[in-house]
Amino acid sequence: IWADQLVGPALGDLVGAFQDEYEIPVTVVSMGYGEVFDRFLVAAPAGEGPDIIVGFGNFLGELVSGGLLTPIDLQDKAADFSPAGLAGMTYNGELYGMPIAIDNVAFFRNVDLVPEAPATWDDVVALSRELTANNTDNIDTNQYGFVRQSGDPYHFFPVITSFGGYVFGQNEDGSYNADDLGIGAPESVAALQWYKDFLDDGLQPRNVDGETMVSWFESGKAAMIITGPWFLNRIRESGVNYAISDLPGGEFPARPFTDAQGFMVSAFSKEPLLAQVFLTEFVATPEIFQGLYEVEQRAYAYLPLWDVIEDPDLAGIAHAALNGYTTPAIPAMGSVWEAWQNAILLVEQEADTPESALKNAAEQIRAAITGE
């Protein structure tokens, strides 16, 4: 098994029971997140790779199209995993991984400043106006309501979807259609116009990076932010009185990107059936997932774990994912991020209008996808 440096060490401590029962040795190799993917692309076709890898669903497009993975049949165990987790491990209608965890953003708020979770972005604007009412030109001493990090379409996406925007349209079977690009659609333009107006009104400073955003939240300078479980321990340790909720909506519900991490079986494994037995009979148990949880607190996709674990923070993050938008695993998604982010940055820096910036980004993305 090749796994990242979070799952690998935890799993390595737990495989002894499987070895004792089946008398089959299990080797867990831990490596960097990107290294698993890069090394597997080379090793698997040469017959030198692992039986199982731990990776994210956004790997699936390249891995499946390259013939490197075999489908997984969880049978009755499928009911033990969240729909978002299963969707994140599915490509072209076929399940290629057993989910481990779901990563997504949620809405964090300072309860002392915002006692009740805002339901809409209009509510967020109203709260921000109240909290910034006494601000001056001195950013260092100002108080802010909602603050988001500059650029970064991943964190901005829930705002876009609440206006009806999207990245790629979906076919009837749920697969993504690379010919239907929503980056420059009127709904996406409306979302970016909303944020431009928010900045123009002085409700947050321009060019706030992710580190500044989180540090402001920890100190109480920012009352509301969008972030994910990767900052959870830090926010807990800060002592700020916070709560986590679903993301505010608009005309439509807000939908964050959801990224599933899971176990995938190599198409070149010499023991593919045994690999599936290992996953379904040994790993897919409350004991193993509780062991993973004790090493790294995340929003795990294994539902029975939540019968024995009470963590309101992670439950809040997981709930925000129920309406999630699985990050498209299609190869075309790789052409989206840079142009999309640049468009948002141009608008934030007052160098272009939302309509022009997103129209140009869409043209760049279509050219990158088609190679023209």
Side-chain angles (χ1 to χ4, degrees), residues 24 62 67 77 131 201 204 244 251 261 314 320 342 361 369:
I24 291 177
E62 189 167 351
K77 287 291 182 79
L131 290 166
D201 287 347
Q204 83 151 75
I244 301 171
E251 183 179 351
Q261 185 185 38
L314 291 177
N342 288 341
I369 291 172

Side-chain angles (χ1 to χ4, degrees), residues 35-344:
E35 191 178 359
V36 174
F37 177 67
D38 293 339
R39 289 181 59 182
F40 184 68
L41 287 176
V42 176
E48 298 174 354
D51 297 284
I52 296 170
I53 65 167
V54 173
F56 282 87
N58 55 18
F59 292 166
L60 288 176
E62 189 167 351
L63 294 176
V64 174
S65 61
L68 302 184
L69 298 179
T70 189
I72 287 179
D73 184 2
L74 296 180
Q75 299 182 350
D76 293 345
K77 287 291 182 79
D80 289 339
F81 293 90
S82 69
L86 294 171
M89 290 285 105
T90 298
Y91 184 73
N92 283 346
E94 193 100 56
L95 186 67
Y96 283 95
M98 190 178 84
I100 299 172
I102 298 294
D103 282 337
N104 61 276
V105 298
F107 197 75
F108 287 60
R109 77 181 192 280
N110 183 318
V111 177
D112 294 333
L113 298 172
V114 183
E116 301 295 330
T120 68
W121 292 112
D122 286 343
D123 294 338
V124 169
V125 170
L127 288 163
S128 295
R129 291 193 191 284
E130 292 177 14
L131 290 166
T132 60
N134 296 319
N135 281 359
T136 67
D137 292 335
N138 189 347
I139 291 177
D140 293 336
T141 60
N142 281 348
Q143 169 76 60
Y144 295 101
F146 174 62
V147 173
R148 67 168 298 272
Q149 63 197 73
S150 184
D152 193 13
Y154 179 86
H155 286 75
F156 189 51
F157 189 64
V159 179
I160 294 170
T161 56
S162 69
F163 280 80
Y166 60 98
V167 185
F168 292 112
Q170 292 178 269
N171 301 313
E172 290 185 5
D173 63 359
S175 61
Y176 289 100
N177 180 1
D179 294 328
D180 182 5
L181 181 66
I183 301 299
E187 296 84 357
S188 295
V189 172
L192 191 51
Q193 182 65 53
W194 174 87
Y195 188 59
K196 179 183 183 301
D197 294 342
F198 191 86
L199 292 171
D200 290 348
D201 287 347
L203 298 181
Q204 83 151 75
R206 301 178 191 274
N207 302 317
V208 175
D209 60 28
E211 172 61 30
T212 300
M213 178 193 74
V214 174
S215 66
W216 282 5
F217 185 76
E218 292 171 319
S219 68
K221 184 178 179 67
M224 299 169 281
I225 62 172
I226 294 173
T227 191
W230 40 89
F231 279 125
L232 184 54
N233 285 342
R234 178 173 156 178
I235 290 172
R236 282 170 165 169
E237 292 169 2
S238 73
V240 65
N241 184 17
Y242 69 92
I244 301 171
S245 62
D246 291 352
L247 291 138
E251 183 179 351
F252 301 89
R255 302 182 65 189
F257 280 121
T258 58
D259 298 300
Q261 185 185 38
F263 296 96
M264 309 171 191
V265 177
S266 171
F268 297 89
S269 169
K270 295 181 176 61
E271 297 285 355
L273 294 179
L274 187 59
Q276 289 215 43
V277 168
F278 173 77
L279 294 177
T280 57
E281 301 303 320
F282 176 73
V283 177
T285 62
E287 295 77 16
I288 294 298
F289 271 90
Q290 186 165 354
L292 293 172
Y293 173 86
E294 289 169 357
V295 173
E296 179 71 15
Q297 285 75 57
R298 300 172 64 192
Y300 286 94
Y302 186 66
L303 299 177
L305 176 68
W306 300 103
D307 294 333
V308 295
I309 296 294
E310 291 187 7
D311 190 321
D313 291 341
L314 291 177
I317 293 172
H319 196 274
L322 293 179
N323 194 41
Y325 182 102
T326 304
T327 305
I330 58 176
M333 192 65 193
S335 303
V336 168
W337 295 111
E338 183 176 3
W340 197 9
Q341 169 150 308
N342 288 341
I344 297 172

